[in-house]
Amino acid sequence: MLRLDNEAARRLFLHKHLLAEPPSGSGKGPDLHDLIEQLGFVQLDSVRTVERAHDMILFSRRPAYRPTHLPKALARDRAVFEHWTHDAAAIPMAFYPYWRMRFERDAMGLQQRWAKDRRDGFVERFDQILTQIREKGPVCSADVGEGEKRGSGGWWDWHPSKTALEYLWRSGQLSVCHREGFRKFYDLTDRVIPSAILDIQPDEQETTDWLCRNALTRLGFATAGEIAGFWDTLRPAEVKPWIEQGLKDGFLQSVEVTGADGSHRACVAFPDIAAEITECPEPTGRMRVLSPFDPALRDRARAERLFGFNYRIEIFTPAAKRKYGYYVFPLLEGDRMVGRVDMKRNQDSGTLVITALWPERGVRWGQGRQQRLEAELARVLRFAGLEQLEWTQGWLREPQ
């Protein structure tokens, strides 16, 4: 069995997540489309502490990227569509046929689940909303449910027509055609998704094979649970037969991956993994600020095993119980996670405020590392359209 030492595993991991190579490229048009396809998807999130998560993810790989570029990929180029992986995401349009399984599973599961924890009456709104869109064009949630009692607006208190709208999107009958700000507008799917894409209708076996192969391509090495979790459509029990067949037929091989703590984990990989590691670029020494939702960190347990980096987002943790802060950004340098920084934009003063920085244990925060951080923060500053940095007193903290 092939054994990957921890350095080789980290190197391949970063290469697969497009974090080994020096950041470059236009970050728009075909270059952006190609980037998202290589990643598989980009998680969408509304929190804008500095810039939104999806914009930070793309910027960390393409410094020329700007937040106006992704909406054009959706609304103008139709290069991506919006749907669900483990959360809302921008997904390459070419992948749409393999989301039919997801639509069917959401159609069954969400109707049962939402009948228990949403307001009554959303199923009865389906025909009315579809007719409204068919006759009058795209709508957002504010355009439906006239006369219905409005709640808090949180996901737990949607009015029935808002729930119906989301259900019709999740089940594939509607698609997001564009956004205004961060507000989604929905249209009939056959008006949004190109007909050539809609004509492709893989069966369940073809879909399972595609999901597994494409997850492993982007992970490099993985367990059944990690393959299933990448797109979050399949269950591990559905991936295991695919792995067994792959090992039998020879298009997969067993590998043992060494973690940061010296432990070993049994995984599978494609047969060319050893050659691929040899060809991987040496990770750039440039420091990068990563989004908490970066693809490299989405699977927190996997990232911790490989890098010894324990990260938990603390948005929903009461302030008094937070170990770090509300929205703390990990720092990557070379093939190491070297720290995390708490920072936020002050739009009124055009300032990026650095509240705190925690080096990881064993990381010496010397002058050279500080200069690399400041160079990266200067790039973030320009990206966010701000003018200056502000370091609060006592910003450098002891490792935790």
Side-chain angles (χ1 to χ4, degrees), residues 341-344 352-357 377 389-393 395:
V341 60
D342 190 4
M343 60 184 183
K344 60 184 178 181
L352 182 62
V353 181
I354 313 302
T355 305
L357 181 142
L377 292 180
L389 294 174
E390 177 184 326
W391 301 79
T392 61
Q393 187 173 4
W395 57 268

Side-chain angles (χ1 to χ4, degrees), residues 280-302:
C280 283
E282 194 69 29
T284 175
R286 174 174 174 165
M287 191 174 293
R288 297 192 225 209
V289 173
L290 300 183
S291 163
F293 298 104
D294 194 278
L297 298 169
R298 180 193 63 77
D299 187 336
R300 309 285 194 215
R302 179 179 168 97

